[in-house]
Amino acid sequence: MPLGLRGKKKAKSKETARLVEGEQAGAGVGSLPDPPAPARRLVFHTQLAHGSATGRVEGFSSIRELYANIAGVFEISPSEILYCTLNTPKIDMEKLLGGQLGLEDFIFAHVKGLKKEVNVYKSEDSLGLTITDNGVGYAFIKRIKDGSIIDSVKTICVGDHIESINGENIVGWRHYEVAKKLKELKKEELFTLKLIEPKKAFEIGPRSNAGKSSADKIGTARGTLRLRSKGPATVEEMPSEMKAKAIEKVDDLLELYMGIRDIDLATTMFEAGKDKNNPDEFAMALDETLGDFAFPDEFVFDVWGAIGDAKQGL
């Protein structure tokens, strides 16, 4: 018999005896607490936006994990996925998957398609581009302003991933870093963009029975899965109407003070300030995440006011 085994058995017997005594002593006082409820299993349906069979994904806590799961379903590399839209396979920038996913949303993954290289002459300071990113290193074009420089270059399209600027690879950059790089390009000079457009197929109408996207269901859906860069995903109620209004207010302030509209940047600023206790803490958080913008103090104070109103439900 191995050494110590008998001792373990005796210890176990004493432990069992103590448990029985405890149950007897507590008899009539109350029963043991119920075991915790099992974790809710969340399963989402997904397709490749250019056409595929329907797959199922679950058990993810972040965008990166979601892309890995989708890639596993369709046997492709996660790096092939540019971004996802919700409830429509179209390149609809209003239906982009962000940090929240409605519990009934259907996920369409847009993958890399045609590569193209475009030369653009910067005749004005503003190119007329709004940039966003997928949260895992791919920046892409979210909007093109009518009549702008980029609008005149018909080979550049909404949804195109920007791979490099003047030969400098920008994979891994956040959207505001790419926007800053483009803004700093010299006027009256040519620059070169290497782009990758999403793979396309025949036009498909939006799903009629999939419900609205998370952006459309604010305050009305049963809940969302909130994806996080660190820690587990959590099921939450949809963002409140006050939060949505606060982000819109921050976007208005960006236009007033900085001359830009960028709902993704406004959301980033809101998220940076929602758990801060005062303007100084908020300013420090902005310096850490968006320091390159050098926001004026008046702007930061006004943004803090908009966030404070939302926190107080005003």
Side-chain angles (χ1 to χ4, degrees):
M1 180 178 291
L3 294 175
L5 185 56
R6 187 181 298 277
K8 289 180 181 176
K9 284 188 174 181
K10 287 183 178 178
K12 185 175 180 181
S13 298
K14 291 180 180 178
E15 206 171 274
T16 304
R18 283 196 300 270
L19 178 60
V20 172
E21 289 170 2
E23 288 174 348
Q24 290 174 343
V29 177
S31 59
L32 292 173
D34 294 332
R40 185 176 182 181
R41 185 184 176 195
L42 301 176
V43 179
F44 297 86
H45 292 88
T46 182
Q47 290 180 4
L48 299 180
H50 64 277
S52 74
T54 299
R56 291 152 57 98
V57 290
E58 60 180 299
F60 53 89
S61 295
S62 65
I63 295 290
R64 190 178 299 277
E65 290 180 5
L66 171 60
Y67 284 11
N69 285 8
I70 293 173
V73 169
F74 297 111
E75 298 182 348
I76 61 175
S77 169
S79 63
E80 287 296 303
I81 300 175
L82 294 177
Y83 47 82
C84 295
T85 51
L86 301 177
N87 306 317
T88 176
K90 293 184 177 181
I91 303 172
D92 186 342
M93 295 294 106
E94 300 304 316
K95 303 295 178 67
L96 280 175
L97 167 64
Q100 296 182 122
L101 182 60
L103 299 184
E104 297 180 354
D105 283 340
F106 195 109
I107 307 168
F108 289 89
H110 298 256
V111 301
K112 291 179 179 178
L114 180 67
K115 291 190 175 186
K116 49 195 179 185
E117 184 172 315
V118 185
N119 293 319
V120 181
Y121 181 71
K122 189 176 183 182
S123 58
E124 303 173 14
D125 290 325
S126 175
L127 294 171
L129 278 178
T130 299
I131 308 296
T132 189
D133 65 68
N134 68 356
V136 292
Y138 288 169
F140 53 94
I141 299 170
K142 186 174 184 179
R143 278 189 288 270
I144 298 175
K145 185 178 179 180
D146 290 341
S148 64
I149 294 173
I150 297 298
D151 187 42
S152 66
V153 185
K154 299 307 178 183
T155 52
I156 300 177
C157 303
V158 168
D160 285 356
H161 161 49
I162 305 175
E163 188 177 41
S164 73
I165 302 172
N166 281 339
E168 182 177 3
N169 189 301
I170 62 167
V171 173
W173 291 24
R174 293 303 312 273
H175 63 277
Y176 47 82
E177 296 173 312
V178 178
K180 184 172 182 289
K181 176 73 174 178
L182 291 170
K183 187 176 182 180
E184 291 173 347
L185 293 173
K186 293 181 180 179
K187 190 177 174 181
E188 309 296 342
E189 288 189 7
L190 277 171
F191 65 93
T192 302
L193 296 176
K194 284 188 178 180
L195 308 168
I196 302 177
E197 67 179 37
K199 195 170 184 178
K200 298 183 177 72
F202 53 89
E203 282 294 314
I204 312 172
R207 290 169 54 85
S208 59
N209 60 346
K212 297 181 180 180
S213 73
S214 55
D216 293 332
K217 293 186 290 185
I218 290 176
T220 62
R222 289 179 294 177
T224 58
L225 181 68
R226 185 170 184 82
L227 305 177
R228 304 180 186 278
S229 58
K230 296 181 181 179
T234 55
V235 176
E236 301 177 350
E237 292 299 315
M238 272 292 189
S240 68
E241 186 178 352
M242 289 306 302
K243 174 181 175 179
K245 287 182 178 179
I247 292 172
E248 289 179 8
K249 176 63 175 176
V250 174
D251 199 27
D252 291 340
L253 291 169
L254 277 170
E255 183 175 32
L256 177 64
Y257 282 91
M258 311 298 292
I260 59 172
R261 292 195 73 89
D262 188 334
I263 197 68
D264 295 306
L265 180 57
T267 303
T268 299
M269 298 183 74
F270 180 88
E271 294 296 331
K274 67 179 184 181
D275 59 348
K276 300 300 180 288
N277 298 313
N278 55 61
D280 290 335
E281 289 184 8
F282 176 51
M284 290 176 64
L286 287 184
D287 286 342
E288 290 176 3
T289 57
L290 302 168
D292 288 342
F293 280 92
F295 295 121
D297 291 343
E298 296 87 353
F299 169 73
V300 173
F301 189 79
D302 283 350
V303 171
W304 172 252
I307 295 172
D309 289 347
K311 290 167 70 174
Q312 295 174 30
L314 299 178

